[in-house]
């Protein structure tokens, strides 16, 4: 059975050193045994794994999300290659990668787990591998277009890096993607996923009401305000290797306008404008935490705090806060007879709040201002996602045509 290959980013340097010094067995006994077993069939396994570690270390330094996404994709790709093709990653041909994509669409059940499992855990000085871990999560439907695109992106970046490092001579991923039968060309009209007005009303109101019974839900309420009111991504609120969002990142200019400095995609800093409505929620949250109503320039306090422990929250922890508020709202919708709205809300993710806020404001804010607050490099991106000017003009010109 496949075993996990890559630990956390923090442990990656140790895994590289162990592999180079041939001391992996001293900390990762199961992984060392697995590599020794696979090397009987594929002599290059150790070299492949060392290159994977170095690749992940280079790209993982950029952000936790990048590391996690690439780790998941490349790890299972390597395992499939060694088990099913019994060769090195750098001996694969175009048709081999096509076979791998077929496998991703319909993976062997023995390679699937019913839930997300931890990879390694500390036990008596060793990093013990989890026997229940599997490369894939079992699902009833085929992977989404977004998931397949993520697979192709990871493989493409991996082989581009391998060519630059003179480890590979060709990259067959683009041609496989171009001719992939599972990818569907997107429609010109592609509305972002958003909450309905009713769903958002319930999410905000129910969370606000529940704060009276459980004051700690003020943290949920402030998180919702940040994601929807400031169009933030969860990663922009979370604790990261190279960025820790703190209260002093709120700042006021000479004219009295408030901003929040965030680090977005590509490690780009931007200053998001604060509305009067948002400032009211900011004050409420700060007073709940025992702070002054408005931030000072020297405050080191985490933007979203932990109830227990120090420091800011991770992406997964913040996602749980949003899921909790969605669940409370869903129950309230069902109780009030809005069953269909409740069912749709159960499929929503935290990222829908960013889309909801931007979609609501697109009708009233200048496109350039909205684009800059969203952190889009090009105004055309904002227009394509939230305004869709050309499509609306086309619809207007076509509505009165005669038969």
């Amino acid at each position: 059975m496949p075993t996990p290959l890559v630990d956390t980013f923090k442990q990656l340097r140790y895994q590289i050193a162990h592999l180079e010094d041939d001391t992996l067995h001293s900390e990762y006994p199961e992984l060392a045994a697995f590599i020794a077993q696979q090397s009987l069939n594929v002599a290059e396994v150790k070299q492949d794994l060392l290159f994977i570690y170095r690749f992940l270390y280079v790209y993982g330094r950029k952000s936790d999300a990048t590391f996690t996404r690439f780790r998941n994709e490349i790890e299972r790709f390597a395992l499939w290659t060694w088990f099913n093709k019994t060769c090195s990653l750098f001996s694969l041909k175009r048709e081999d990668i096509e076979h791998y994509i077929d496998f991703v669409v319909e993976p062997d059940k023995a390679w699937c787990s019913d839930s997300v499992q931890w990879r390694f855990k500390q036990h008596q000085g060793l990093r013990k591998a989890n026997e229940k871990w599997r490369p894939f999560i079992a699902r009833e439907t085929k992977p989404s277009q977004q998931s397949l695109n993520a697979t192709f992106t990871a493989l493409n970046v991996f082989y581009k890096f391998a060519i630059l490092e003179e480890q590979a001579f060709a990259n067959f991923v683009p041609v496989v993607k171009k001719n992939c039968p599972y990818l569907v060309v997107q429609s010109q009209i592609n509305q972002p996923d958003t909450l309905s007005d009713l769903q958002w009303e319930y999410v905000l109101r129910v969370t606000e009401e529940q704060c009276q019974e459980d004051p700690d839900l003020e943290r949920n309420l402030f998180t919702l305000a940040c994601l929807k009111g400031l169009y933030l991504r969860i990663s922009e609120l979370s604790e990261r290797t190279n960025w820790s969002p703190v209260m002093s990142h709120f700042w006021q200019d000479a004219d009295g306008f408030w901003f929040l400095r965030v680090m977005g995609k590509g490690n780009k800093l931007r200053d998001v404008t604060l509305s009067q409505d948002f400032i009211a929620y900011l004050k409420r949250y700060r007073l709940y935490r025992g702070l002054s109503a408005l931030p000072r320039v020297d405050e080191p306090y985490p933007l979203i705090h932990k109830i227990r422990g120090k420091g800011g929250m991770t992406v997964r922890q913040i996602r749980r806060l949003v899921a909790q508020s969605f669940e409370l709202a869903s129950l309230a919708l069902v109780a009030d007879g809005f069953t269909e709205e409740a069912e749709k809300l159960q499929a929503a993710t935290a990222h829908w709040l960013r889309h909801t806020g931007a979609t609501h404001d697109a009708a009233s804010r200048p496109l350039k201002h909205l684009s800059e607050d969203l952190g889009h490099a090009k105004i055309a991106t904002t227009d394509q996602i939230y305004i869709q000017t050309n499509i609306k003009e086309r619809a207007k010109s076509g509505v009165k045509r005669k038969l």
Side-chain angles (χ1 to χ4, degrees):
M1 292 302 298
T3 189
L5 303 175
V6 189
D7 205 339
T8 63
F9 182 75
K10 186 177 180 180
Q11 286 289 127
L12 195 54
R13 287 185 302 169
Y14 302 114
Q15 288 191 290
I16 292 173
H18 281 313
L19 209 54
E20 289 177 336
D21 299 340
D22 200 23
T23 57
L24 197 62
H25 61 277
S26 65
E27 189 173 7
Y28 293 87
E30 293 97 345
L31 179 56
F34 175 81
I35 293 172
Q37 180 63 38
Q38 293 304 310
S39 296
L40 298 177
N41 299 318
V42 184
E44 302 90 348
V45 163
K46 182 178 176 180
Q47 289 75 17
D48 280 5
L49 186 57
L50 186 57
F51 187 83
I52 289 171
Y53 286 167
R54 289 171 176 165
F55 164 76
L56 291 174
Y57 186 74
V58 170
Y59 282 87
R61 296 175 66 184
K62 188 173 184 180
S63 74
D64 293 336
T66 299
F67 169 74
T68 300
R69 183 170 66 250
F70 283 2
R71 175 187 65 176
N72 296 346
E73 297 291 348
I74 303 303
E75 183 177 55
R76 64 189 189 184
F77 175 58
L79 289 168
W80 176 87
T81 300
W82 301 334
F83 272 94
N84 293 275
K85 295 299 179 179
T86 58
C87 69
S88 167
L89 296 171
F90 308 109
S91 298
L92 295 175
K93 304 300 182 184
R94 174 190 52 78
E95 56 268 27
D96 296 322
I97 296 178
E98 290 174 348
H99 295 162
Y100 174 66
I101 298 302
D102 292 338
F103 186 82
V104 169
V105 173
E106 293 187 18
D108 190 313
K109 290 183 179 179
W111 284 54
C112 298
S113 172
D114 293 332
S115 60
V116 177
Q117 297 283 340
W118 50 271
R119 284 170 165 77
F120 298 93
K121 185 173 288 188
Q122 195 75 14
H123 179 71
Q124 297 181 348
L126 300 176
R127 298 293 290 175
K128 302 291 289 184
N130 183 4
E131 295 180 354
K132 295 182 179 180
W133 177 86
R134 295 292 181 271
F136 295 88
I137 302 297
R139 55 179 179 266
E140 296 181 359
T141 59
K142 292 183 178 181
S144 66
Q145 296 293 295
Q146 183 179 6
S147 178
L148 280 175
N149 274 308
T151 297
F152 277 115
T153 297
L155 295 181
N156 189 35
V157 173
F158 177 75
Y159 276 108
K160 280 186 175 180
F161 181 77
I163 290 173
L164 289 174
E165 294 291 308
E166 298 183 348
Q167 184 72 31
F169 67 90
N171 178 11
F172 299 107
V173 177
V175 69
V176 174
K177 180 180 180 180
K178 184 177 181 180
N179 296 287
C180 178
Y182 308 111
L183 286 177
V184 178
V185 178
Q186 293 294 323
S187 166
Q188 290 175 296
I189 303 176
N190 186 24
Q191 297 288 343
D193 292 318
T194 62
L195 302 185
S196 67
D197 290 342
L198 182 65
Q199 288 169 336
W200 169 242
E201 178 188 339
Y202 267 73
V203 168
L204 185 65
R205 177 176 60 80
V206 171
T207 301
E208 199 162 354
E209 290 175 352
Q210 289 294 317
C211 287
Q212 298 177 10
E213 298 181 13
D214 183 1
D216 286 339
L217 285 175
E218 291 287 349
R219 188 173 56 165
N220 298 48
L221 188 63
F222 181 67
T223 299
L224 296 173
C226 288
L227 296 176
K228 198 265 187 186
L230 304 183
Y231 328 128
L232 297 188
R233 305 174 180 92
I234 276 192
S235 61
E236 294 169 346
L237 276 179
S238 67
E239 189 87 7
R240 285 176 280 173
T241 304
N242 57 345
W243 185 256
S244 297
V246 294
M247 281 294 176
S248 59
H249 290 155
F250 286 109
W251 62 278
Q252 190 178 31
D253 70 5
D255 296 317
F257 294 109
W258 280 91
F259 301 83
L260 173 63
R261 182 157 295 166
V262 299
M263 179 177 283
K265 285 186 174 180
N267 294 340
K268 294 179 181 178
L269 292 175
R270 74 178 188 279
D271 294 298
V272 182
T273 58
L274 271 57
S275 67
Q276 293 178 344
D277 278 359
F278 177 84
I279 291 176
Y281 283 99
L282 172 62
K283 290 179 177 179
R284 173 174 175 158
Y285 176 61
R286 286 178 56 82
L287 292 174
Y288 148 74
R289 290 180 61 177
L291 304 173
S292 59
L294 290 171
R296 301 192 309 268
V297 295
D298 59 344
E299 289 188 341
Y301 312 117
L303 209 61
I304 309 294
H305 73 293
K306 294 178 180 177
I307 301 297
R308 299 179 183 84
K310 298 181 180 180
M313 302 188 74
T314 65
V315 167
R316 182 174 296 180
Q317 290 169 332
I318 296 175
R319 190 175 288 125
R320 286 174 184 163
L321 298 183
V322 176
Q324 183 183 17
S325 288
F326 282 4
E327 180 62 24
L328 291 171
S330 181
L331 293 173
L333 284 165
V334 171
D336 291 346
F338 300 107
T339 306
E340 186 175 345
E341 291 281 358
E343 291 177 352
K344 291 179 180 178
L345 181 58
Q346 290 173 0
T349 68
H351 199 65
W352 288 30
L353 293 172
R354 171 179 162 90
H355 290 322
T356 301
T359 301
H360 284 180
D361 293 347
S364 59
R365 296 194 66 189
L367 181 60
K368 185 175 187 298
H369 298 171
L370 181 64
S371 180
E372 289 176 349
D373 276 347
L374 282 162
H376 288 162
K378 299 179 181 178
I379 293 181
T381 302
T382 311
D383 184 28
Q384 181 182 4
I385 298 174
Y386 300 109
I387 309 296
Q388 301 192 359
T389 303
N390 294 335
I391 293 171
K392 291 180 180 179
E393 292 300 321
R394 177 159 60 89
K396 289 177 182 178
S397 69
V399 73
K400 294 182 179 180
R401 63 181 184 271
K402 305 296 182 181
L403 292 177

